[in-house]
Amino acid sequence: MIRNVLGSLVALAGAASAVLSPFRDWYDGRAGQDYRVRDLFEGITATESGVLVSILLPFLFAALLVIAGVVLRSRIAVALAGLVVLGFTILWMVRQGQAAGSLTVGGDGAGLQVGVVNALAGGVLMLIGALLMRGRGARPRARREREREPVEPYGAPPADQVDTWPPTQEPGMSTHTSPWPEPEVDPYTGPDPHDPRTRSYPQASPPGRPGDPRDPVHPPRRPPEA
């Protein structure tokens, strides 16, 4: 997050420097906005240029790329904007050197001036901003390595140890070892005598009614006659 914010600020600063550079002097007191875009491909001439068809046009395009890259957190868009600014600035330097015979740097208003420096600095700042940004899908290196590691199944326990939790690939039931004693199960005491579903002996007679002493399940038999 911090790297994205820092890279975005650096890239936006580079875009601002590149956009402002055509309004400053580039060579022998001539501002960058006076150079036409077509002059970069056909050769530098003394013809004045309009603002929208000057070298400002590719720099505005690069600034829009930077803004889109910052919003979308796209390092590629920001880096492409830096390459556009540097490419057009270097192309201008080549054409200006061909037109003047050589490029000079002077402090008396002759030769390369501050506008070119602003354009080059803007392109470099855009590239630095792209390097600082992490991008949308970037994740820490340690986290990516953990996600790439295959999940190994639990290995089989040694022969001298019982199978414990978590379960292994060995057949049989696993034993869950716990420091607490296991709950005791109530011993079985037979069917409930008050539950008619499990009672197989004769029911008691209601109060006030004589009961039948005979067993309906095993009735008494008549003794054999002598």
Side-chain angles (χ1 to χ4, degrees):
M1 181 65 182
I2 297 178
R3 290 188 59 178
N4 279 330
V5 173
L6 182 60
S8 300
L9 293 177
V10 173
L12 291 174
S17 177
V19 171
L20 293 176
S21 65
F23 298 99
R24 312 192 71 175
D25 294 339
W26 278 48
Y27 197 82
D28 283 340
R30 188 177 182 183
Q33 62 181 348
D34 294 334
Y35 294 95
R36 299 179 301 176
V37 175
R38 60 183 298 181
D39 291 345
L40 303 181
F41 302 95
E42 300 177 357
I44 301 296
T45 63
T47 305
E48 296 294 331
S49 173
V51 176
L52 296 180
V53 294
S54 67
I55 199 174
L56 176 64
L57 182 62
F59 289 176
L60 286 176
F61 174 74
L64 293 177
L65 271 181
V66 170
I67 295 175
V70 169
V71 173
L72 300 176
R73 288 187 291 177
S74 174
R75 302 174 62 185
I76 298 178
V78 177
L80 180 60
L83 293 177
V84 168
V85 172
L86 291 177
F88 275 90
T89 304
I90 294 174
L91 180 59
W92 173 88
M93 295 174 66
V94 172
R95 292 300 185 183
Q96 182 63 44
Q98 292 175 349
S102 63
L103 290 177
T104 59
V105 179
D108 56 352
L112 296 175
Q113 293 182 313
V114 67
V116 181
V117 177
N118 289 146
L120 293 175
V124 172
L125 287 176
M126 293 178 195
L127 293 179
I128 295 176
L131 292 176
L132 291 177
M133 294 174 64
R134 301 188 66 93
R136 178 182 295 273
R139 289 168 293 182
R141 181 178 179 182
R143 181 179 176 184
R144 293 198 303 268
E145 292 179 353
R146 289 196 302 268
E147 292 179 355
R148 284 198 300 263
E149 292 179 355
V151 179
E152 297 292 340
Y154 294 105
D160 57 344
Q161 296 183 7
V162 297
D163 191 10
T164 57
W165 187 264
T168 64
Q169 300 297 330
E170 293 295 319
M173 299 180 60
S174 300
T175 304
H176 178 67
T177 58
S178 173
W180 305 102
E182 296 183 359
E184 297 182 358
V185 181
D186 294 337
Y188 179 73
T189 57
D192 187 1
H194 302 287
D195 190 353
R197 296 173 299 177
T198 60
R199 188 165 50 197
S200 60
Y201 49 86
Q203 300 181 359
S205 301
R209 183 176 179 181
D212 189 354
R214 295 177 298 177
D215 186 357
V217 179
H218 303 286
R221 298 181 179 181
R222 184 184 301 274
E225 297 180 357

mmCIF file of all heavy atoms in Angstrom, residues 112-140:
data_model
loop_
_atom_site.group_PDB
_atom_site.id
_atom_site.type_symbol
_atom_site.label_atom_id
_atom_site.label_comp_id
_atom_site.label_asym_id
_atom_site.label_seq_id
_atom_site.Cartn_x
_atom_site.Cartn_y
_atom_site.Cartn_z
ATOM 1 N N LEU A 112 20.780 24.103 -25.174
ATOM 2 C CA LEU A 112 19.703 23.444 -24.425
ATOM 3 C C LEU A 112 19.390 24.228 -23.162
ATOM 4 O O LEU A 112 20.292 24.689 -22.452
ATOM 5 C CB LEU A 112 20.113 22.015 -24.061
ATOM 6 C CG LEU A 112 20.347 21.055 -25.237
ATOM 7 C CD1 LEU A 112 20.852 19.725 -24.718
ATOM 8 C CD2 LEU A 112 19.076 20.870 -26.049
ATOM 9 N N GLN A 113 18.085 24.318 -22.854
ATOM 10 C CA GLN A 113 17.665 25.087 -21.687
ATOM 11 C C GLN A 113 16.777 24.256 -20.770
ATOM 12 O O GLN A 113 16.640 23.033 -20.944
ATOM 13 C CB GLN A 113 16.967 26.382 -22.163
ATOM 14 C CG GLN A 113 17.926 27.342 -22.869
ATOM 15 C CD GLN A 113 17.254 28.625 -23.276
ATOM 16 O OE1 GLN A 113 16.166 28.605 -23.845
ATOM 17 N NE2 GLN A 113 17.894 29.748 -22.995
ATOM 18 N N VAL A 114 16.174 24.930 -19.830
ATOM 19 C CA VAL A 114 15.538 24.237 -18.715
ATOM 20 C C VAL A 114 14.328 23.410 -19.143
ATOM 21 O O VAL A 114 13.974 22.431 -18.481
ATOM 22 C CB VAL A 114 15.141 25.270 -17.635
ATOM 23 C CG1 VAL A 114 14.042 26.209 -18.138
ATOM 24 C CG2 VAL A 114 14.686 24.573 -16.356
ATOM 25 N N GLY A 115 13.661 23.767 -20.224
ATOM 26 C CA GLY A 115 12.502 22.997 -20.664
ATOM 27 C C GLY A 115 12.854 21.554 -20.994
ATOM 28 O O GLY A 115 12.097 20.633 -20.686
ATOM 29 N N VAL A 116 14.027 21.348 -21.618
ATOM 30 C CA VAL A 116 14.456 19.987 -21.934
ATOM 31 C C VAL A 116 14.744 19.212 -20.654
ATOM 32 O O VAL A 116 14.421 18.015 -20.542
ATOM 33 C CB VAL A 116 15.692 20.026 -22.845
ATOM 34 C CG1 VAL A 116 16.144 18.622 -23.201
ATOM 35 C CG2 VAL A 116 15.404 20.826 -24.108
ATOM 36 N N VAL A 117 15.342 19.889 -19.697
ATOM 37 C CA VAL A 117 15.628 19.234 -18.409
ATOM 38 C C VAL A 117 14.327 18.807 -17.728
ATOM 39 O O VAL A 117 14.237 17.700 -17.170
ATOM 40 C CB VAL A 117 16.447 20.173 -17.515
ATOM 41 C CG1 VAL A 117 16.684 19.540 -16.142
ATOM 42 C CG2 VAL A 117 17.767 20.530 -18.170
ATOM 43 N N ASN A 118 13.313 19.670 -17.780
ATOM 44 C CA ASN A 118 12.026 19.307 -17.171
ATOM 45 C C ASN A 118 11.406 18.092 -17.859
ATOM 46 O O ASN A 118 10.842 17.207 -17.196
ATOM 47 C CB ASN A 118 11.059 20.484 -17.255
ATOM 48 C CG ASN A 118 11.441 21.611 -16.316
ATOM 49 O OD1 ASN A 118 11.245 22.791 -16.624
ATOM 50 N ND2 ASN A 118 12.006 21.283 -15.161
ATOM 51 N N ALA A 119 11.501 18.032 -19.169
ATOM 52 C CA ALA A 119 10.925 16.902 -19.896
ATOM 53 C C ALA A 119 11.663 15.606 -19.566
ATOM 54 O O ALA A 119 11.033 14.568 -19.315
ATOM 55 C CB ALA A 119 10.957 17.173 -21.397
ATOM 56 N N LEU A 120 12.983 15.644 -19.566
ATOM 57 C CA LEU A 120 13.754 14.434 -19.236
ATOM 58 C C LEU A 120 13.508 14.001 -17.798
ATOM 59 O O LEU A 120 13.352 12.804 -17.516
ATOM 60 C CB LEU A 120 15.242 14.693 -19.482
ATOM 61 C CG LEU A 120 15.664 14.907 -20.943
ATOM 62 C CD1 LEU A 120 17.148 15.271 -21.018
ATOM 63 C CD2 LEU A 120 15.376 13.660 -21.773
ATOM 64 N N ALA A 121 13.476 14.971 -16.889
ATOM 65 C CA ALA A 121 13.222 14.633 -15.483
ATOM 66 C C ALA A 121 11.831 14.038 -15.307
ATOM 67 O O ALA A 121 11.630 13.097 -14.522
ATOM 68 C CB ALA A 121 13.389 15.868 -14.613
ATOM 69 N N GLY A 122 10.840 14.576 -16.037
ATOM 70 C CA GLY A 122 9.489 14.026 -15.942
ATOM 71 C C GLY A 122 9.423 12.584 -16.400
ATOM 72 O O GLY A 122 8.793 11.741 -15.760
ATOM 73 N N GLY A 123 10.083 12.267 -17.517
ATOM 74 C CA GLY A 123 10.087 10.883 -17.992
ATOM 75 C C GLY A 123 10.774 9.936 -17.025
ATOM 76 O O GLY A 123 10.298 8.816 -16.782
ATOM 77 N N VAL A 124 11.885 10.383 -16.449
ATOM 78 C CA VAL A 124 12.606 9.536 -15.494
ATOM 79 C C VAL A 124 11.770 9.309 -14.237
ATOM 80 O O VAL A 124 11.718 8.199 -13.684
ATOM 81 C CB VAL A 124 13.968 10.167 -15.155
ATOM 82 C CG1 VAL A 124 14.633 9.408 -14.018
ATOM 83 C CG2 VAL A 124 14.867 10.181 -16.382
ATOM 84 N N LEU A 125 11.089 10.359 -13.765
ATOM 85 C CA LEU A 125 10.248 10.210 -12.574
ATOM 86 C C LEU A 125 9.090 9.243 -12.820
ATOM 87 O O LEU A 125 8.696 8.493 -11.916
ATOM 88 C CB LEU A 125 9.708 11.572 -12.135
ATOM 89 C CG LEU A 125 10.723 12.526 -11.489
ATOM 90 C CD1 LEU A 125 10.072 13.861 -11.185
ATOM 91 C CD2 LEU A 125 11.292 11.913 -10.214
ATOM 92 N N MET A 126 8.556 9.248 -14.013
ATOM 93 C CA MET A 126 7.488 8.293 -14.322
ATOM 94 C C MET A 126 7.997 6.855 -14.255
ATOM 95 O O MET A 126 7.322 5.962 -13.718
ATOM 96 C CB MET A 126 6.911 8.582 -15.707
ATOM 97 C CG MET A 126 6.161 9.893 -15.823
ATOM 98 S SD MET A 126 5.564 10.158 -17.510
ATOM 99 C CE MET A 126 5.146 11.902 -17.440
ATOM 100 N N LEU A 127 9.184 6.615 -14.794
ATOM 101 C CA LEU A 127 9.745 5.262 -14.736
ATOM 102 C C LEU A 127 10.033 4.846 -13.296
ATOM 103 O O LEU A 127 9.799 3.695 -12.905
ATOM 104 C CB LEU A 127 11.015 5.187 -15.575
ATOM 105 C CG LEU A 127 10.832 5.350 -17.094
ATOM 106 C CD1 LEU A 127 12.186 5.282 -17.792
ATOM 107 C CD2 LEU A 127 9.894 4.290 -17.649
ATOM 108 N N ILE A 128 10.551 5.789 -12.501
ATOM 109 C CA ILE A 128 10.813 5.476 -11.086
ATOM 110 C C ILE A 128 9.506 5.172 -10.359
ATOM 111 O O ILE A 128 9.425 4.251 -9.535
ATOM 112 C CB ILE A 128 11.567 6.634 -10.416
ATOM 113 C CG1 ILE A 128 12.966 6.783 -11.038
ATOM 114 C CG2 ILE A 128 11.672 6.421 -8.910
ATOM 115 C CD1 ILE A 128 13.743 7.966 -10.511
ATOM 116 N N GLY A 129 8.461 5.955 -10.654
ATOM 117 C CA GLY A 129 7.159 5.690 -10.037
ATOM 118 C C GLY A 129 6.622 4.323 -10.398
ATOM 119 O O GLY A 129 6.042 3.622 -9.559
ATOM 120 N N ALA A 130 6.818 3.913 -11.673
ATOM 121 C CA ALA A 130 6.362 2.577 -12.083
ATOM 122 C C ALA A 130 7.124 1.483 -11.347
ATOM 123 O O ALA A 130 6.551 0.437 -10.996
ATOM 124 C CB ALA A 130 6.524 2.416 -13.596
ATOM 125 N N LEU A 131 8.411 1.702 -11.105
ATOM 126 C CA LEU A 131 9.198 0.710 -10.369
ATOM 127 C C LEU A 131 8.785 0.632 -8.903
ATOM 128 O O LEU A 131 8.833 -0.442 -8.286
ATOM 129 C CB LEU A 131 10.690 1.041 -10.482
ATOM 130 C CG LEU A 131 11.311 0.887 -11.879
ATOM 131 C CD1 LEU A 131 12.762 1.337 -11.854
ATOM 132 C CD2 LEU A 131 11.213 -0.545 -12.368
ATOM 133 N N LEU A 132 8.390 1.765 -8.326
ATOM 134 C CA LEU A 132 8.001 1.778 -6.912
ATOM 135 C C LEU A 132 6.632 1.149 -6.695
ATOM 136 O O LEU A 132 6.380 0.558 -5.635
ATOM 137 C CB LEU A 132 8.002 3.208 -6.377
ATOM 138 C CG LEU A 132 9.369 3.884 -6.235
ATOM 139 C CD1 LEU A 132 9.201 5.316 -5.768
ATOM 140 C CD2 LEU A 132 10.250 3.114 -5.265
ATOM 141 N N MET A 133 5.752 1.267 -7.656
ATOM 142 C CA MET A 133 4.403 0.719 -7.490
ATOM 143 C C MET A 133 4.446 -0.802 -7.472
ATOM 144 O O MET A 133 5.245 -1.421 -8.156
ATOM 145 C CB MET A 133 3.493 1.211 -8.625
ATOM 146 C CG MET A 133 3.236 2.701 -8.610
ATOM 147 S SD MET A 133 2.289 3.253 -10.063
ATOM 148 C CE MET A 133 0.747 2.376 -9.800
ATOM 149 N N ARG A 134 3.547 -1.385 -6.680
ATOM 150 C CA ARG A 134 3.462 -2.835 -6.575
ATOM 151 C C ARG A 134 2.447 -3.411 -7.556
ATOM 152 O O ARG A 134 2.495 -4.592 -7.875
ATOM 153 C CB ARG A 134 3.065 -3.258 -5.156
ATOM 154 C CG ARG A 134 4.020 -2.778 -4.082
ATOM 155 C CD ARG A 134 3.663 -3.395 -2.751
ATOM 156 N NE ARG A 134 3.879 -4.827 -2.763
ATOM 157 C CZ ARG A 134 4.997 -5.419 -2.377
ATOM 158 N NH1 ARG A 134 6.009 -4.695 -1.949
ATOM 159 N NH2 ARG A 134 5.114 -6.725 -2.410
ATOM 160 N N GLY A 135 1.522 -2.589 -8.028
ATOM 161 C CA GLY A 135 0.516 -3.091 -8.951
ATOM 162 C C GLY A 135 -0.706 -3.622 -8.220
ATOM 163 O O GLY A 135 -0.754 -3.718 -7.000
ATOM 164 N N ARG A 136 -1.737 -3.977 -9.018
ATOM 165 C CA ARG A 136 -3.008 -4.419 -8.434
ATOM 166 C C ARG A 136 -2.908 -5.795 -7.808
ATOM 167 O O ARG A 136 -3.353 -6.034 -6.698
ATOM 168 C CB ARG A 136 -4.093 -4.433 -9.520
ATOM 169 C CG ARG A 136 -5.441 -4.922 -9.021
ATOM 170 C CD ARG A 136 -6.437 -4.957 -10.158
ATOM 171 N NE ARG A 136 -6.686 -3.611 -10.647
ATOM 172 C CZ ARG A 136 -7.612 -2.803 -10.126
ATOM 173 N NH1 ARG A 136 -8.346 -3.214 -9.110
ATOM 174 N NH2 ARG A 136 -7.808 -1.606 -10.610
ATOM 175 N N GLY A 137 -2.319 -6.760 -8.537
ATOM 176 C CA GLY A 137 -2.294 -8.144 -8.067
ATOM 177 C C GLY A 137 -1.021 -8.525 -7.367
ATOM 178 O O GLY A 137 -0.750 -9.701 -7.183
ATOM 179 N N ALA A 138 -0.195 -7.537 -6.955
ATOM 180 C CA ALA A 138 1.073 -7.872 -6.318
ATOM 181 C C ALA A 138 0.845 -8.329 -4.883
ATOM 182 O O ALA A 138 0.052 -7.755 -4.146
ATOM 183 C CB ALA A 138 2.000 -6.670 -6.345
ATOM 184 N N ARG A 139 1.561 -9.348 -4.457
ATOM 185 C CA ARG A 139 1.490 -9.859 -3.098
ATOM 186 C C ARG A 139 2.904 -10.034 -2.563
ATOM 187 O O ARG A 139 3.848 -10.151 -3.346
ATOM 188 C CB ARG A 139 0.760 -11.204 -3.064
ATOM 189 C CG ARG A 139 -0.720 -11.093 -3.316
ATOM 190 C CD ARG A 139 -1.316 -12.448 -3.563
ATOM 191 N NE ARG A 139 -0.839 -13.016 -4.815
ATOM 192 C CZ ARG A 139 -1.233 -14.183 -5.289
ATOM 193 N NH1 ARG A 139 -2.080 -14.918 -4.611
ATOM 194 N NH2 ARG A 139 -0.767 -14.641 -6.442
ATOM 195 N N PRO A 140 3.051 -10.015 -1.264
ATOM 196 C CA PRO A 140 4.390 -10.213 -0.708
ATOM 197 C C PRO A 140 5.018 -11.502 -1.206
ATOM 198 O O PRO A 140 4.338 -12.502 -1.474
ATOM 199 C CB PRO A 140 4.135 -10.250 0.811
ATOM 200 C CG PRO A 140 2.855 -9.509 0.996
ATOM 201 C CD PRO A 140 2.043 -9.777 -0.232
#
